[in-house]
Amino acid sequence: MVAVARPHAEIRAMRRDDVPMVAAMEAASYDFPWTAGIFSDCLKAGHPCWVMWVEGVIAGYGVLSVAAGEAHVLNVCVGPDHRGLGLGRFLFRRLLDIARWNGAGRVFLEVRPSNPVAQSLYRSMGFEEIGRRPKYYPAKDGREDAIVMALDLLPAP
C-alpha cells in the first residue's frame, strides 16, 4: 500500500458566493442533500460555516451550531474528488477547534448507521455513541435511524 500525502488545505469562513459550489458538492455527495437555501439560512443565522480549500477549489465544508456551551455538527462533507486523502480528519479537527474557540465544552453529531466510514472517523477522534434517533433521516426505503455521538472537548494544549 502506497501512502499518499495529504494535500495542503486551508480553512476559511464560508461566504454567500460559496453557497452554489457547496450545494453542488452536497448534491454530488448525498442522496438527500441540503439545498442552497439551507446553507444560506445557516449563514444568515450566524452558524459557524466553513469551507476547506485545496489547490484553489472548495474540497469540503462544515457547518456548526454553537450555544450554551455545546456545539452540534450540522453538516460536514469532503467532496468526491478529495476523499481518501486525510482531508476529512483535517477538516473535522478544525471544526472541533472552532467549536472550542466558540466556548463549546461538548460536541454532538448524528450519523447514519449506513455510513461506516464517517462512524469510523468520528470514533477515531474520540466520539462515543450516546443514543439513537429513530427514523431521523430520509432514506430510499423510508426512514433511517441516526446514531447520536458526543465528544467532550478538552482545553486546547
Side-chain angles (χ1 to χ4, degrees):
M1 185 167 164
V2 177
V4 178
R6 179 180 61 79
H8 176 73
E10 296 179 10
I11 304 287
R12 70 158 169 79
M14 188 184 298
R15 300 185 299 237
R16 253 183 258 145
D17 61 343
D18 295 325
V19 169
M21 288 179 280
V22 167
M25 186 178 297
E26 175 88 354
S29 298
Y30 300 114
D31 290 331
F32 299 92
W34 279 18
T35 64
I38 294 171
F39 286 106
S40 293
D41 288 346
C42 287
L43 285 170
K44 288 178 196 168
H47 292 312
C49 302
W50 296 83
V51 292
M52 176 176 59
W53 282 83
V54 174
E55 298 173 359
V57 298
I58 294 177
Y61 52 87
V63 179
L64 298 170
S65 172
V66 183
E70 298 178 350
H72 196 114
V73 178
L74 301 178
N75 195 329
V76 63
C77 179
V78 172
D81 296 339
H82 293 93
R83 292 184 187 147
L85 303 173
L87 292 168
R89 183 172 304 281
F90 172 79
L91 174 60
F92 215 83
R93 282 187 180 138
R94 297 299 70 83
L95 292 175
L96 295 176
D97 288 342
I98 291 160
R100 187 180 290 112
W101 296 333
N102 281 274
R106 196 164 202 214
V107 180
F108 297 91
L109 60 81
E110 288 89 13
V111 62
R112 290 176 183 266
S114 63
N115 190 346
V117 173
Q119 290 176 52
S120 177
L121 172 64
Y122 303 149
R123 283 192 180 94
S124 76
M125 298 188 77
F127 279 82
E128 295 181 0
E129 182 175 340
I130 60 167
R132 297 266 175 151
R133 295 190 197 278
K135 301 179 182 178
Y136 183 78
Y137 290 112
K140 289 181 180 177
D141 57 353
R143 305 289 297 178
E144 181 177 9
D145 291 353
I147 298 170
V148 181
M149 302 183 86
L151 171 71
D152 290 320
L153 294 176
L154 300 174

